Every structure is written in structure tokens, then in C-alpha cells.
């Protein structure tokens, strides 16, 4: 197991190199001069001296491969560089904003998993009944509704008309509720259906019939035997979904004025702030990979077959 | 429904109710706001950082300039109480006010002004507009005097020092590298707390030399989404929305219908134009430009598409600059010549970043409709900032709708950054007679002669029409009726000390 973890960690190096190199290349290919955009060339024509001075101070006069090599050299030393726009260290900016994004995505993840489990369980136990049909209709609706629309609708109902919840911004737990529902609703509906299918499959297994025959209570059967075995597909998908929630939080952060990294990344892209964009991509790649590794580890502990196959292989 | 399913549903409902109960505002509602706090919603972060000219946006009222512009866009004393020129406009002496203090308690001195000006001169990236390009030296003299020596005479030099032309920060506020350590200005408000990307909290500066602010605290909240901003105002989370484009034209009517909300308009020094690519057929031909202009009925589409926030343009730049705007120097109603022969699809280029706040897409549709009616195929091409600039530079367009701001209030700003710019911003229009005259007018010290020159320039433009001024902008801003006295200047900067709680 330890070997596998070390091997996965080592495979991170080419992966992160590839991701950042691809991002850097795409930025180089994007039209427009970052110096001119930073000096708001759209609003007024910057002087040649100003453009030259800015290019020189942020290293844009170097050839692209030198710029990337310098950036990489700094990253190896733990320095993500400074923002082209504000001159602040990128690492500090990300460190300042990432807690907000993790708070939002983490809560949405927990909410999504619980809701998906509840929806899946209810659907599987009431298979083809009225409740199952209602939940299916709900799933289609939840997946179809765009996040920005749902967010605005929730704001209108719960914040403006009922005055129950804060409208936007980051504060106490009450500030989390609307963005979390907006972010998690669609994903939970999809995963609820997947979990329902997994549960139905497990419910028809021989060992469940045996458990019934042994006279175990329905509660015991569901929580001791069915749930545990049906969880695997949900765990696999959850790893991917946490990444999706982090990525999807960009829109939700904008709608709810949530001061996270998504909003920062959008601003950086519009301003061609290369160091901030690269820092963001690097951080997201790390989080995605960490999630994927965590899922593999969970699989290892949840599924005895994996442990056995690992032992047999060795 | 089976018993187990019912049980699961009950668990689900209980879970949701519990979550709702523990998270609702009834339990953890935000504390009531202090009446001395003014909260303003803006659509972007007003924090520019240590590498910028000013650290914080001018709308925060944290820093001030030597000169301000009055409502006619004339230079008027601000931190400088007076000025005079000598050596035929090559030397300018500014006398600094004596009753001004920085936020750190130090009095404003001529040396501080010199340090602030040199910071920009020594770091050209902080002088993107090139206000200080003609500056040879700046020295502090006795009696709070600052002397600027220029390479060539600049009659409008005081106007060039307005607003972002001469932001004054204390000499300890920045280092040798020009980076700002702290925004120590002289404005009516000072920085109290900064939450980057979230809010900027300011407190009233009690040693401010001008009008004392009525609000002890002002908070600028960054609310990037337009709908959320409007809802925040309706809910009362914020007291006002006062940023350029922060209110969409489509929101004006809705907000005006709200009882507690006051919708106001402020004339801006911004004009919106239909630009022609004068380097590419068909609009390289004057007759083609006049043909399209003659077919565009601004009276019909400007008032409706701008929701009344646009005044049909009669001059090439803002009429707020009364001395320099020459209404009627171009005709729009002369009978248009025959339509040009076009054998390809024309491109109308738009910057996607302004579409949410300006009605460019709708105006572009009007232009396209005019062309289509005459059998000319045309399409709209949307590009984000970088691609938009590249397309302009490459001349890869036929038409474009763009704004231009008369930031210094002086026509030199318009000519030197547009038709006489010598770069892509002239949209392919090259007229040596206009370029020479614009250069001569820039350095002409006799005001009447200068005025005559700018009239001649306006007539040349009116003859050639390389651009068609569509409308002068009137920016919309809104506030709740719990505050009053909120006014914006021509550059759309709020005069915060004037804002006060409304008397019930």
C-alpha cells in the first residue's frame, strides 16, 4: 500500500509539470498583450515607455520558455511569484482565499453526499412506487436547472421575501446555506440516482436474502449490509465531484459574492495575470490529485477484494 | 410506499429542517448596522495593490490630487490652492494648501508632492497616460511651492494633474521601487480594514481640511453580480450602488419602481462612438461613412436603448467641457450619397466585457439592420479584451462601437489619444493636416487662438467623419432613501463627505 502511495505521489511530478506547461502555453497563445491589458489599454492608450517598463518589471521581455523556466524555478523553491496586477505574492493571495472556497466546496460536498444517500435510499426502497417517481422527476428538474438561476431564485425566496437568510457574502453558517444548496443540488440529484441503482443491485444479492432468512431486522440489513456494499460507486464518484464542486464554485462565488479562489481566478484570466492563473491551476491540480488518491485509499479500506488482490499480486 | 421508504423520507425531511433551523438568520442573523455606517456596493475590487498608482481606487476618497475638475471640466484648485505659469508655459508653480494633513498626522509639504510626482516620473508604468512625459524636473521651493519645468509649453498642464494625474501619498507611503506600503493620503476617509476581493472599510479622517464627513465609516462591498447588487440594495444590505456600469440599463425601471430607492443620473465625460475602419474598404471612403451615418437615426434608438441614460451627441466629445466642445460641427441629416458597393460580409467588432453594462449589442443590431435593409451582409464579432485589442491593431474589422472619456477635460486628450494618436486608436484614419494642427494646439498658450484651432479640428473631423459620436453618457447610480446628498462628478467619483443620513 505504501509503495502505491509513493508511486502515486511521484507520478504527481510529471502531471503537475504537464498541467502548468499546458496552461502556460495556452496563455501564450491567447491573443492580446498582457502589459497593455494591465495598463487598461482598452480605456486609454498607454505610452510606449509605460508598456516597456511594465513588460520589463514583470519579465515579459524574456522568451516564453525562459519565462516558464523562471516561474518553475521559483515554484520549486516554494515561491509562486507575484501578481502582475497588484504586485502581491501569489501564494499569499491563494492562502488568503482558499479557506473560503474549501469551506464552500467542503460543505457542499458533505451536503451533496448526505442528500444523494438519502435520495438514493428512498428511491431504492420505494422502487417504482410513487415516491420513486417523484424523486426521479426531482432529479431531472435539479439537473436541468442552471446554477445561476437557482441561486437567484433561492435569494429571492429565502432572503428577499422570507427574510430568513443573508443574501450574499461570507459570514456565519447562515451565509453558507444558499450557496451550498445552489452548488450541491444538481450533483446530488445525479449521484442519488447512481446510488439508487447500486442499492437495488445489492438488495438483490444472495447474502441479503440470507440476511432476511436469518431474521435480521430491516434496519440492520440496510445499514449493516446494503449501505456498506453500495457505497463503492458513490465513493468513486465523490472524489471526482469534489473537484467539480471546486471548479463549479466559480459561478456560485460570483453570484453570492463569496470571496474564494474562483472569483480570483476569473479576475486573473480577464487581466492576463499569468502568475495568479498558474498558481491557481497548480493548486487545483494538487487538490484534484489529492482527492483521487484519497478515493483510492478509501477503496482499499472499504473493499476487501482490493486488499486481497493486492496481497495476491505481491 | 414501504415502511422503510417512509422512514427514509422522514429522516430526509428531519435533516433538512434541522439544517434550515440551525442555519437560518433567525438564529444567527447579522447584527444591526450602525447608523454611522454607509455601505456602498460596487461591481469590482477597488483594491489595486502596492504596484499600482494609488493602491486604492479614487472613488474611495482616500487620496487626493493637486487639482480637481469642476462641473465644466475646468481645472480648479484642490490640494494646490493656486498656480501660475511662466517661461511661455514651460514653468508651472503650484502653491500647496497649508491646512492639509496626511492620515498619519503629518502636514502636507511641497517635498511630499515632489516625492509623489517623482515616484510616477521614475516609474513610467505608473504614468500609463504619459501625463509627465514633458516633465524635465520638479522641485520644492519655499512657502509650500512646487515648481514643474517642462520641455515644451503645456497650456492644459493643471488639468493634466487632476485626479489620477497627480495622486498625492505621503513620502513614507512608498519605497524606492515605487511600491506602496500603505495608502497614506489626505482624503476625507482613511483605510481601516481591507478584505481583498470582499470589502474595503474606511473611517472618517477627523483632521480632513475640507467638509467633514457625516458618516464615520464607509464600506465598499465588492458584489460582482449585477442582480445580487440590486437585490442587496432592495434588501437594505447596502445603501447605494455607485460604480460605473454597476446598474444595468435593464435594471433602471425595476429599481425606480421601488419605493425606498432613489435612481439618479449624472452626466459623464464619456461619449460613445461608432468607429469606422478608415483603412479598409468600404469605409475608407468618406462617402461610405456618410452614407451609413445618414441612414442611422440616433433619435429613434438612443433614448430607448439607453433607457434615457444617454444624450444624443452633438459634439465630438463631452459637452461638459463647455469651452472646448463645438456642437454642430458635423451634419447627420444631409442626403446620403449612394450606398457603397460591398462584395463581402462586414464585421462590427464589440468588446464583450462592456456588453453587460452598455447597450452596445442592441445598437449593433440597429446598425446591422440598416446595412441588411440595403442588401449589405454584416455580422457582430464579440471579443474579450486581449482579442479585441489585437483585432483593432490588425485592422480586422469594419465597424466598432467604443467609448471614449475626456478625462482631463481638455480636447488635447481626445485628439492625442484618438484621431491624432499615430497608433491603432486612430482606426486607420490618417490626416496629416489634422495631426499637425492637433500638435500645434497642444502647445498653444494663447487660449483664444487655441480655441480657434480646436474649432478647426472639429470641422476637419466633421468633414471626414472617421467616427460617429452616438451619445454622451449619463451614468445611473442608486441609493436608498435613508441617505441623501450623494453626488457624482464627471469622472463618476462619489463626493463622500457630502453624503449624510436622510432626515426622517
Amino acid at each position: 500500500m505504501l509503495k502505491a502511495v509513493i508511486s502515486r505521489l511521484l507520478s504527481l511530478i510529471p502531471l503537475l509539470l504537464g498541467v502548468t506547461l499546458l496552461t502556460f502555453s495556452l496563455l501564450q497563445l491567447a491573443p492580446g498583450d498582457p502589459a497593455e491589458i494591465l495598463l487598461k489599454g482598452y480605456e486609454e492608450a498607454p505610452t510606449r515607455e509605460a508598456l516597456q517598463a511594465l513588460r520589463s518589471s514583470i519579465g515579459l521581455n524574456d522568451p516564453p520558455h525562459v519565462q516558464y523556466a523562471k516561474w518553475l524555478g521559483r515554484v520549486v523553491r516554494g515561491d509562486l511569484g507575484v501578481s502582475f496586477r497588484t504586485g502581491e505574492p501569489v501564494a499569499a493571495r491563494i492562502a488568503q482565499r482558499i479557506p473560503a472556497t474549501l469551506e464552500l466546496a467542503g460543505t457542499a460536498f458533505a451536503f451533496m453526499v448526505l442528500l444523494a444517500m438519502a435520495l438514493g435510499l428512498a428511491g431504492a426502497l420505494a422502487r417504482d412506487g410513487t415516491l420513486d417517481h417523484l424523486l426521479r422527476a426531482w432529479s431531472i428538474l435539479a439537473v436541468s436547472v442552471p446554477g445561476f438561476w437557482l441561486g437567484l431564485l433561492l435569494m429571492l425566496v429565502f432572503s428577499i421575501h422570507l427574510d430568513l437568510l443573508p443574501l450574499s457574502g461570507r459570514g456565519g453558517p447562515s451565509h453558507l446555506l444558499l450557496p451550498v444548496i445552489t452548488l450541491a443540488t444538481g450533483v446530488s440529484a445525479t449521484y442519488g440516482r447512481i446510488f439508487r441503482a447500486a442499492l437495488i443491485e445489492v438488495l438483490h444479492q444472495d447474502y441479503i436474502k440470507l440476511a432476511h432468512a436469518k431474521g435480521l431486522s430491516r434496519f440492520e440489513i440496510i445499514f449493516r449490509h446494503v449501505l456498506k456494499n453500495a457505497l463503492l460507486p458513490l465513493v468513486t464518484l465523490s472524489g471526482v465531484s469534489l473537484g467539480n464542486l471546486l471548479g463549479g464554485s466559480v459561478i456560485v462565488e460570483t453570484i453570492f459574492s463569496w470571496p474564494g479562489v474562483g472569483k480570483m481566478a476569473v479576475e486573473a484570466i480577464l487581466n492576463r495575470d499569468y502568475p495568479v492563473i498558474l498558481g491557481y491551476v497548480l493548486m487545483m491540480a494538487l487538490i484534484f490529485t489529492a482527492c483521487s488518491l484519497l478515493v483510492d485509499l478509501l477503496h482499499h479500506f472499504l473493499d476487501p477484494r482490493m486488499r486481497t488482490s493486492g496481497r495476491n499480486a505481491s | 410506499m414501504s415502511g422503510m421508504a417512509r422512514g427514509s423520507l422522514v429522516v430526509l425531511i428531519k435533516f433538512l429542517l434541522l439544517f434550515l433551523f440551525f442555519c437560518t438568520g433567525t438564529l444567527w442573523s447579522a447584527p444591526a448596522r450602525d447608523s454611522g455606517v454607509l455601505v456602498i456596493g460596487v461591481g469590482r475590487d477597488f483594491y489595486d495593490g502596492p504596484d499600482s498608482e494609488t493602491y486604492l481606487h479614487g472613488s474611495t476618497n482616500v487620496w487626493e490630487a493637486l487639482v480637481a475638475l469642476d462641473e465644466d471640466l475646468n481645472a480648479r484648485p484642490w490640494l494646490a490652492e493656486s498656480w501660475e505659469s511662466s517661461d511661455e508655459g514651460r514653468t508651472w508653480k503650484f502653491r500647496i494648501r497649508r491646512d492639509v494633513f496626511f492620515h498619519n498626522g503629518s502636514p502636507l509639504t511641497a517635498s511630499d508632492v515632489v516625492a509623489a510626482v517623482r515616484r510616477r516620473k521614475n516609474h513610467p508604468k505608473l504614468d500609463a497616460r504619459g501625463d509627465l512625459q514633458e516633465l524635465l524636473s520638479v522641485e520644492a521651493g519655499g512657502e509650500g511651492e512646487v515648481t514643474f519645468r517642462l520641455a515644451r509649453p503645456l497650456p492644459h498642464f493643471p488639468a493634466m494633474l487632476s485626479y489620477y494625474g497627480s495622486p498625492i501619498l505621503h513620502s513614507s507611503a512608498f519605497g524606492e521601487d515605487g511600491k506602496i506600503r500603505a495608502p497614506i493620503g489626505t482624503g476625507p476617509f482613511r483605510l481601516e480594514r481591507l478584505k481583498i476581493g470582499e470589502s474595503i472599510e474606511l473611517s472618517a479622517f477627523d483632521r480632513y481640511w475640507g467638509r467633514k464627513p457625516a458618516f464615520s465609516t464607509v464600506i465598499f462591498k465588492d458584489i460582482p453580480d449585477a442582480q445580487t447588487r440590486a437585490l442587496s440594495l432592495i434588501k437594505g444590505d447596502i445603501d447605494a450602488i455607485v460604480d460605473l456600469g454597476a446598474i444595468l440599463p435593464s435594471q433602471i425601471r425595476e429599481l425606480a419602481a421601488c419605493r425606498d430607492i432613489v435612481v439618479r443620473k449624472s452626466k459623464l465625460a464619456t461619449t460613445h462612438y461608432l468607429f469606422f475602419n478608415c483603412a479598409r474598404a468600404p469605409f475608407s471612403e468618406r462617402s461610405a461613412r456618410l452614407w451609413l451615418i445618414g441612414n442611422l437615426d440616433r433619435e429613434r434608438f438612443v433614448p430607448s436603448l439607453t433607457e434615457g441614460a444617454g444624450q444624443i451627441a452633438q459634439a465630438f466629445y463631452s459637452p461638459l467641457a463647455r469651452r472646448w466642445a463645438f456642437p454642430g460641427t458635423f451634419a447627420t441629416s444631409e442626403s446620403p450619397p449612394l450606398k457603397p458597393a460591398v462584395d463581402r460580409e462586414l464585421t462590427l467588432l464589440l468588446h464583450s466585457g462592456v456588453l453587460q453594462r452598455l447597450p452596445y449589442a442592441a445598437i449593433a443590431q440597429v446598425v446591422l439592420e440598416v446595412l441588411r435593409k440595403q442588401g449589405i451582409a454584416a455580422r457582430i464579432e464579440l471579443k474579450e479584451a486581449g482579442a479585441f485589442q489585437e483585432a483593432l491593431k490588425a485592422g480586422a474589422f469594419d465597424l466598432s462601437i467604443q467609448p471614449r472619456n475626456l478625462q482631463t477635460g481638455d480636447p488635447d486628450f481626445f485628439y492625442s489619444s484618438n484621431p491624432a494618436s499615430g497608433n491603432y486608436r486612430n482606426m486607420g484614419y490618417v490626416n496629416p493636416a489634422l495631426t499637425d494642427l492637433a500638435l500645434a494646439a497642444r502647445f498653444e498658450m494663447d487660449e483664444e487662438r487655441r480655441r480657434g484651432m480646436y474649432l478647426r479640428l472639429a470641422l476637419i473631423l466633421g468633414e471626414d467623419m472617421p467616427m460617429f459620436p452616438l451619445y454622451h453618457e449619463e451614468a445611473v447610480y442608486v441609493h436608498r432613501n435613508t441617505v441623501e446628498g450623494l453626488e457624482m462628478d464627471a469622472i463618476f467619483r462619489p463626493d463622500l463627505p457630502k453624503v449624510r443620513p436622510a432626515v426622517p
Side-chain angles (χ1 to χ4, degrees), chain B residues 323-368:
Chain B
R323 275 192 307 166
W324 305 106
F326 303 100
T329 45
F330 61 87
T332 57
S333 55
E334 65 182 61
S335 69
L338 288 175
K339 73 165 183 164
V342 184
D343 55 0
R344 62 180 174 84
E345 191 180 40
L346 301 182
T347 304
L348 197 159
L349 183 66
L350 294 180
H351 179 350
S352 58
V354 300
L355 290 191
Q356 210 195 14
R357 76 173 188 91
L358 296 168
Y360 282 5
I363 294 174
Q365 289 294 350
V366 171
V367 176
L368 256 58

Side-chain angles (χ1 to χ4, degrees), chain B residues 166-228:
Chain B
S166 64
I168 305 298
L169 296 173
H170 189 257
S171 44
S172 70
F174 46 86
E176 280 289 303
D177 56 0
K179 280 188 184 249
I180 299 173
R181 298 182 191 115
I184 307 169
T186 59
F189 286 91
R190 64 177 169 195
L191 180 63
E192 201 63 47
R193 199 168 295 114
L194 177 67
K195 290 183 184 172
I196 300 169
E198 203 172 342
S199 64
I200 296 172
E201 187 177 327
L202 312 168
S203 63
F205 178 43
D206 51 14
R207 293 182 82 180
Y208 183 56
W209 60 277
R211 181 198 284 259
K212 299 283 181 281
F215 282 98
S216 59
T217 302
V218 171
I219 299 171
F220 283 92
K221 269 181 101 169
D222 179 12
I223 308 174
D225 184 73
Q227 300 299 341
T228 312

